[in-house]
Amino acid sequence: MIIRRIVAICRNYLWEGGTEYHRAPLVAWSTVCCNKKSGGLGVKDAEKWNIATVGKLVNWIYTKADRPWVQWIDHIYLKRNDWSTYEPPSNSNWNWRNICKIRSKLDAGFVNNCWVADPKGYSVGSGYTWIQDIHPPVFWYSDVWDRWSIPKHAFITWLVYHKALNTKEKLHVIGICDSADCVLCEAGIETYSHLFEDCLYSKQILGQIEIWLQLKLHSDRKYSQLQQHVCRMAKLACWYRIWMERNKCRMDLQLTMPDKSVKDVKRLIHARISQMIMQPVTSHDQQWLSCLDILL
């Protein structure tokens, strides 16, 4: 089926950067297609989008749109029968039978021949939203998808929150690794909480960045809007660096000293702040930025 092949190509491109991918995806495609507030990436589900698109034809028949195609359908197939209860004959055209199947999937959205999900009437967008599975919002949405966050950092953090990265704990369970010990500090099992919170190497990076920024990256304190952006962006930058160092240590047996990693993260944060500030800031924020050697 063409649509399934399109979905496969999109899925493979996400995980491999090409049209072929022969391993199990890190996150289910149904989750990837959820909106970002519900923990997905907001990628359109081609199969559901196709249903919503054909729903436009279904709506034309419901509303008896003044179109030759609708009049032809009424004359050849419906013959003044009720569209909401109509069942196509087994020998009818393949396309027509599929339009009828899609009508049955959208039936609940039409009341008295009107689309109830949108007061403006049916649209492909409203149809797609209506058939999407409902998922509750995730608590980490604003942290991951803050507009200041660097995209590759946000993506890795998204995988962290979905517990989709191949930590040594997971690899050890399926027999790929002989040991589940953390490669960065060798002082604990490499779980998500250990790697990004309790690992001695990670603590040094996060701790020094907090001292430099004079902010707590995991705090609920009422910081200014600018400082909140920086906190989120800095946390993601640290987690990304930790994961990259973990991979380099495991694959190449090389580990950058924490001070060097901190220096690189500081340089990245400094550049990102300078890049993202587009409007005047308060005197309090100006004073704070001057402590970071950022002059506006």
Side-chain angles (χ1 to χ4, degrees):
M1 188 175 179
I2 295 176
I3 292 178
R4 290 179 182 172
R5 180 56 182 158
I6 291 173
V7 170
I9 291 173
C10 294
R11 182 183 64 244
N12 297 341
Y13 183 80
L14 173 65
W15 300 118
E16 190 68 22
T19 58
E20 301 298 329
Y21 184 71
H22 303 291
R23 290 174 288 176
L26 297 177
V27 179
W29 189 248
S30 58
T31 300
V32 172
C33 291
C34 291
N35 62 53
K36 290 183 177 180
K37 288 186 177 181
S38 297
L41 292 180
V43 175
K44 287 287 189 293
D45 185 321
E47 201 161 344
K48 292 181 178 178
W49 187 260
N50 180 66
I51 292 173
T53 302
V54 177
K56 196 80 173 176
L57 302 179
V58 174
N59 178 66
W60 285 352
I61 300 175
Y62 264 121
T63 58
K64 299 186 182 300
D66 186 18
R67 296 173 181 270
W69 180 82
V70 176
Q71 296 170 11
W72 181 82
I73 287 294
D74 186 58
H75 179 73
I76 299 298
Y77 289 114
L78 292 182
K79 298 178 180 178
R80 302 191 181 280
N81 288 316
D82 186 2
W83 174 224
S84 62
T85 58
Y86 172 82
E87 292 295 334
S90 58
N91 62 346
S92 58
N93 180 276
W94 178 88
N95 288 323
W96 174 243
R97 293 200 309 272
N98 278 277
I99 290 173
C100 293
K101 285 181 182 178
I102 289 177
R103 183 219 64 203
S104 65
K105 295 179 180 180
L106 297 172
D107 255 352
F110 288 95
V111 177
N112 296 325
N113 296 345
C114 295
W115 181 247
V116 297
D118 188 341
K120 296 180 180 179
Y122 187 88
S123 66
V124 176
S126 67
Y128 179 79
T129 301
W130 188 81
I131 61 177
Q132 278 283 76
D133 297 328
I134 299 176
H135 296 274
V138 293
F139 71 91
W140 42 263
Y141 161 75
S142 58
D143 286 344
V144 175
W145 303 116
D146 188 278
R147 64 185 180 85
W148 281 44
S149 300
I150 296 172
K152 64 180 180 180
H153 297 178
F155 184 73
I156 289 295
T157 307
W158 177 75
L159 292 175
V160 171
Y161 279 117
H162 278 291
K163 298 191 182 304
L165 297 176
N166 288 321
T167 60
K168 286 190 68 179
E169 178 196 35
K170 293 172 66 173
L171 297 176
H172 180 64
V173 169
I174 60 178
I176 294 180
C177 288
D178 295 332
S179 168
D181 291 342
C182 176
V183 297
L184 296 177
C185 67
E186 300 180 341
I189 303 299
E190 192 184 273
T191 62
Y192 289 95
S193 59
H194 171 83
L195 185 60
F196 295 104
E197 295 177 15
D198 302 328
C199 173
L200 297 177
Y201 185 91
S202 303
K203 280 185 174 181
Q204 289 186 61
I205 293 177
L206 291 164
Q208 290 189 49
I209 292 299
E210 286 184 340
I211 292 173
W212 176 60
L213 292 176
Q214 304 169 38
L215 303 171
K216 290 290 184 181
L217 301 184
H218 299 278
S219 175
D220 293 329
R221 295 179 184 176
K222 296 294 183 182
Y223 294 131
S224 69
Q225 188 174 45
L226 172 65
Q227 290 174 328
Q228 290 177 37
H229 285 308
V230 173
C231 270
R232 293 165 183 162
M233 178 262 295
K235 174 184 171 183
L236 270 58
C238 290
W239 280 16
Y240 179 84
R241 180 70 184 210
I242 291 166
W243 182 246
M244 292 300 105
E245 288 300 326
R246 176 265 185 197
N247 290 341
K248 186 171 70 172
C249 187
R250 181 170 178 266
M251 303 303 294
D252 302 330
L253 302 180
Q254 296 179 2
L255 180 62
T256 305
M257 295 301 294
D259 289 345
K260 174 64 166 58
S261 291
V262 169
K263 185 177 180 181
D264 291 342
V265 173
K266 283 182 178 180
R267 187 184 303 115
L268 188 150
I269 294 172
H270 194 288
R272 189 65 172 173
I273 293 175
S274 300
Q275 178 187 25
M276 294 301 296
I277 293 180
M278 300 294 182
Q279 56 188 14
V281 299
T282 65
S283 58
H284 175 268
D285 283 336
Q286 283 184 340
Q287 184 178 3
W288 174 68
L289 289 171
S290 67
C291 295
L292 304 180
D293 295 325
I294 298 176
L295 302 177
L296 303 180

